[in-house]
Amino acid sequence: MTTNTRATVKTTATRLTKTLWSWASILDDGAREQAERTSTMPFVYPHLALMPDAHLGLGATVGSVIPTLRAIVPAAVGVDIGCGMVAVRTQYTAADIAGPALRDLRLAIEQAVPTSAGSYNQRLTETAEARVAELEALAGKAGFDPARYAGSWRLQLGSLGSGNHFIEVSLDEEDRVWFFLHSGSRGVGNKIAQHHIAVARDLMTRYWIDLPDKDLAYLVEGTDEFWAYIRELRWAQHFALLNREEMMDRVVAAFDAWSGLAPVEEAERINCHHNFTELEHHFHKDVWVSRKGAIRAREGDPGLIPGSMGTASYVVVGKGNPLALDSAPHGAGREYSRSKARRTFTHEQLREAMAGIEYRDTDAFIDEIPAAYKSIDRVMQDAADLVEVRHTLRQIVNVKGD
């Protein structure tokens, strides 16, 4: 039993150091050492929490929750600011869509949503106009022009990206049809993050501050650099949320056209970040909580935890675990780097893993093979005191960018 400021909570976590708790039953030495370095920063309070999917990242471990007093580490948020997931439950079931070919649905989605790194819209679509106007107004209030980072930022809204970003059509335990996608703030968010990481590094050099890792460079609350980052971070987080909303609307439209059924009636929509920072109250203090590969899981919070390509994903509700700083994992978490996965696995193994799922059959996705990730079942077992599973989703269509 662990006593904390809010309640007495049973936990599966392991205390690795005075300032580091871990829910990860699978944790390699490199990730553990990296997390330990981060947890020693003097402004971390009360402790760093490692989620079940934790693995090595840039500066800070992916799958970590880092609460900080009066300071923030831009690399602890990551370069894909606001990355996260959105899911929609429809009124339809598997029986309703048994006729049309799923391949045609995949192709329709790929035509509606630009995929791959650097692939954006050719024009500002009608559905994106209101969202772009909202972002322009928000940028004006924040006092900056996103075009200084990416002149094409408006055309980036409604684009997926590559890597582990995806769009899926799935069925739940009752065979109900869901749409599920994963993406973030695209090129403009990356440029914003890279700029402020560089600013933080420059400040460390200017003031002769030694760090255990250069990517732990930080900004101090109250300085112009700190508040400039917060303003632009919040803008990028909102861009990411609207980017997912825009893509989801296009997926729904593509499904409507493909199915020939009555328009989709959304029974439920969940949209949540897993690379973000918010000011929150934990253990009697206001702290900046940076979740790098973790979702917020306060009691009652809806959330989404995707598996890897070809495996199950989960719709969850938070349990509000205080020791975990009201957080939960964001996915399966890599066990193999992309380069090692390409050296280890084959195209035929990917085909076997994706059997029964409509996807673009290419060796470009070998590094996304499920075997390159931790078992999502193991991750969910480790997260038993963080979230409750509401729905288990299994893919029938997968769309990715290479």
Side-chain angles (χ1 to χ4, degrees):
M1 302 286 285
T2 300
T3 303
N4 54 69
T5 60
R6 210 183 315 164
T8 300
V9 177
K10 291 182 179 179
T11 181
T12 58
T14 300
R15 188 167 195 167
L16 301 180
T17 70
K18 183 179 179 181
T19 53
L20 178 62
W21 286 82
S22 173
W23 277 257
S25 62
I26 303 172
L27 185 65
D28 66 69
D29 291 341
R32 173 174 176 158
E33 291 167 4
Q34 183 181 58
E36 287 177 349
R37 284 196 299 273
T38 304
S39 72
T40 63
M41 297 299 286
F43 43 74
V44 170
Y45 175 87
H47 57 259
L48 187 152
L50 279 183
M51 298 292 99
D53 54 337
H55 61 280
L56 196 67
L58 174 67
T61 311
V62 179
S64 59
V65 182
I66 308 168
T68 51
L69 282 167
R70 297 181 294 277
I72 198 165
V73 178
V77 181
V79 294
D80 194 357
I81 298 171
C83 189
M85 289 88 57
V86 61
V88 163
R89 176 165 62 88
T90 77
Q91 76 271 38
Y92 292 117
T93 67
D96 296 318
I97 59 171
L102 290 177
R103 181 177 183 274
D104 292 340
L105 176 57
R106 173 177 63 82
L107 293 174
I109 293 171
E110 289 174 347
Q111 186 175 14
V113 178
T115 61
S116 303
S119 179
Y120 306 134
N121 299 283
Q122 296 301 307
R123 61 182 178 82
L124 187 60
T125 63
E126 183 178 347
T127 56
E129 287 180 352
R131 292 182 171 108
V132 166
E134 182 179 341
L135 288 164
E136 287 174 335
L138 184 61
K141 290 179 181 178
F144 84 107
D145 181 4
R148 66 177 280 206
Y149 295 108
S152 64
W153 72 266
R154 295 171 181 83
L155 298 178
Q156 294 177 19
L157 188 78
S159 61
L160 182 67
S162 59
N164 61 355
H165 293 172
F166 62 77
I167 301 170
E168 293 172 351
V169 181
S170 298
L171 304 175
D172 67 12
E173 64 284 346
E174 297 181 23
D175 268 357
R176 293 175 298 192
V177 176
W178 288 71
F179 308 133
F180 195 101
L181 70 82
H182 171 204
S183 191
S185 54
R186 307 297 288 113
V188 64
N190 182 286
K191 294 292 186 182
I192 289 171
Q194 296 284 8
H195 168 75
H196 291 285
I197 290 171
V199 168
R201 288 176 181 169
D202 179 67
L203 288 170
M204 301 298 98
T205 301
R206 190 187 312 171
Y207 293 109
W208 301 88
I209 297 173
D210 291 325
L211 297 169
D213 184 326
K214 68 178 182 179
D215 288 312
L216 292 176
Y218 58 89
L219 303 170
V220 177
E221 186 174 342
T223 63
D224 291 342
E225 294 87 354
F226 178 93
W227 290 115
Y229 175 59
I230 292 297
R231 288 192 298 271
E232 296 181 13
L233 167 84
R234 287 172 170 164
W235 183 89
Q237 288 177 176
H238 198 59
F239 179 101
L241 185 143
L242 293 184
N243 184 43
R244 292 191 293 273
E245 297 283 2
E246 173 67 19
M247 285 187 285
M248 182 57 75
D249 287 349
R250 296 186 193 181
V251 170
V252 170
F255 178 89
D256 285 344
W258 166 81
S259 70
L261 301 169
V264 163
E265 297 175 3
E266 296 187 14
E268 184 173 7
R269 182 182 284 224
I270 303 166
N271 196 343
C272 63
H273 297 319
H274 56 227
N275 282 8
F276 70 111
T277 293
E278 293 289 350
L279 185 64
E280 299 177 7
H281 194 77
H282 295 277
F283 291 82
H284 301 302
K285 294 188 179 182
D286 292 331
V287 289
W288 293 96
V289 181
S290 297
R291 294 181 175 89
K292 184 174 183 178
I295 63 172
R296 184 158 60 187
R298 297 169 302 189
E299 185 175 3
D301 275 352
L304 302 167
I305 303 177
S308 55
M309 185 178 183
T311 65
S313 295
Y314 297 88
V315 180
V316 299
V317 62
K319 291 186 175 180
N321 188 308
L323 192 61
L325 305 162
D326 293 341
S327 304
H330 83 311
R334 297 195 73 92
E335 282 201 272
Y336 290 75
S337 68
R338 295 193 179 277
S339 58
K340 185 177 179 182
R342 290 198 160 277
R343 294 192 303 269
T344 304
F345 305 108
T346 66
H347 191 175
E348 187 55 38
Q349 287 174 310
L350 175 62
R351 284 175 175 160
E352 292 174 4
M354 295 297 288
I357 301 170
E358 172 56 43
Y359 79 111
R360 185 156 56 92
D361 184 7
T362 169
D363 61 7
F365 300 149
I366 289 175
D367 56 5
E368 284 293 299
I369 191 170
Y373 286 80
K374 296 181 182 182
S375 162
I376 189 62
D377 293 335
R378 181 76 166 271
V379 167
M380 297 307 294
Q381 289 171 8
D382 289 349
D385 64 353
L386 307 179
V387 292
E388 177 183 346
V389 174
R390 292 179 51 223
H391 301 294
T392 301
L393 310 183
R394 59 189 190 279
Q395 306 160 39
I396 57 173
V397 176
N398 175 280
V399 171
K400 293 182 70 68
D402 53 21

